[in-house]
């Protein structure tokens, strides 16, 4: 689950428009990085690692002073996907940053989260250090995908009775993963899945019942709750990754 959240004043743009943003002059204590140069570095590292970018989302805020973006990679063999979140500023509000994983949230209210997150302040040697941090983060992709394969295989291999499913739904309510109103929706999805592939009675199907319902809430809350949901279901599957 991932999201690019924009508030009033932020604008979705194309990559070509991003290249037109003028980067401010550096000072003795501050060295800004061009938005498009940061994106190009991330994309170059991803391509070099063998990743396939299938979708891009870019946005500017405060007259181009702040950049937010998402790069969506092709699906894994397990049907999951990985998303790369990027942000940068020309007004000293936050450092250049990269966030990647299955749970990524990038927002113009300065929220920035994911399974792996790195950042570098706009100081003198940012040009030297930023590429190293990008390669470090991208290098974690294989580990993240392997963990996802293990997790989803465990979910698919763990059968659930109605009693167990109902117990997990109540546990999710107590853990504030879902609201009281959402309980009946998740139960409804469990009893009559919206998609045929989630008909098997296992943890994988229940997980997707939850995420189907979580699509209706604010993106940042959905990311946080999905991560907590993984904790709940991992424990039920006796999975430690």
């Amino acid at each position: 689950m991932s999201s690019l959240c924009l508030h009033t004043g932020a604008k979705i743009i194309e990559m070509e428009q991003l290249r037109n943003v003028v980067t401010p002059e550096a000072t003795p204590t501050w060295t800004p990085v061009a938005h498009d140069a940061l994106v190009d570095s991330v994309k170059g590292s991803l391509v070099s690692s063998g990743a396939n970018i299938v979708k891009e989302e870019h946005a500017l805020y405060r007259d181009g002073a702040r950049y937010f973006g998402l790069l969506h990679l092709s699906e894994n063999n397990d049907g999951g996907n990985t998303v790369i979140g990027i942000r940068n500023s020309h007004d000293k509000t936050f450092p250049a940053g990269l966030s990647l994983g299955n749970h990524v949230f990038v927002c113009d209210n300065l929220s920035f989260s994911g399974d792996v997150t790195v950042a570098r302040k706009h100081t003198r040697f940012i040009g030297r250090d930023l590429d190293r941090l990008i390669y470090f983060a991208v290098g974690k992709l294989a580990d993240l995908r392997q963990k996802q394969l293990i997790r989803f295989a465990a979910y698919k291999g763990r059968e659930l009775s109605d009693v167990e499913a109902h117990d997990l739904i109540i546990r999710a309510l107590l853990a504030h993963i879902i609201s009281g109103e959402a309980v009946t929706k998740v139960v409804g999805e469990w009893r009559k899945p919206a998609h045929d592939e989630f008909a098997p009675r296992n943890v994988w199907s229940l997980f997707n019942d939850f995420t189907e319902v979580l699509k209706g809430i604010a993106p940042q809350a959905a990311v946080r709750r999905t991560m907590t949901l993984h904790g709940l279901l991992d424990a039920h599957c006796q999975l430690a990754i």
Side-chain angles (χ1 to χ4, degrees), residues 16-139:
E16 291 74 15
Q17 295 171 274
L18 190 63
R19 300 198 187 283
N20 294 327
V21 177
V22 177
T23 304
E25 293 292 329
T27 70
T29 58
W30 179 65
T31 306
V33 173
H35 300 322
D36 63 327
L38 175 60
V39 175
D40 286 340
S41 293
V42 175
K43 291 170 70 174
S45 297
L46 289 169
V47 172
S48 296
S49 73
N52 181 31
I53 302 169
V54 297
K55 180 182 177 182
E56 302 181 23
E57 297 177 77
H58 306 285
L60 290 173
Y61 186 51
R62 294 289 176 91
D63 295 322
R66 301 176 191 175
Y67 164 77
F68 308 88
L70 289 177
L71 303 177
H72 300 255
L73 305 188
S74 57
E75 287 191 352
N76 304 334
N77 293 331
D78 60 3
N81 55 30
T82 306
V83 181
I84 315 298
I86 309 170
R87 73 174 183 179
N88 190 42
S89 75
H90 287 166
D91 59 2
K92 305 180 182 182
T93 50
F94 49 78
L98 175 66
S99 183
L100 68 155
N102 304 310
H103 309 282
V104 173
F105 184 80
V106 184
C107 187
D108 60 17
N109 67 0
L110 311 187
S111 297
F112 193 63
S113 63
D115 296 310
V116 175
T117 300
V118 296
R120 177 62 164 81
K121 292 182 178 180
H122 296 88
T123 52
R124 182 180 176 187
F125 296 111
I126 186 172
R128 178 197 66 189
D129 296 340
L130 196 55
D131 281 345
R132 175 179 57 82
L133 291 175
I134 291 172
Y135 281 120
F136 170 81
V138 172

Side-chain angles (χ1 to χ4, degrees), residues 224-240:
R224 183 177 62 252
R225 294 184 190 187
T226 303
M227 295 179 76
T228 307
L229 176 62
H230 275 313
L232 172 66
L233 299 181
D234 287 359
H236 188 78
C237 294
Q238 297 182 321
L239 180 64

Side-chain angles (χ1 to χ4, degrees), residues 134-155:
I134 291 172
Y135 281 120
F136 170 81
V138 172
K140 293 292 185 180
L141 273 176
D143 291 340
L144 288 172
R145 290 191 165 188
Q146 183 60 30
K147 288 180 179 180
Q148 181 170 268
L149 284 170
I150 293 171
R151 168 176 281 141
F152 289 170
Y155 287 6

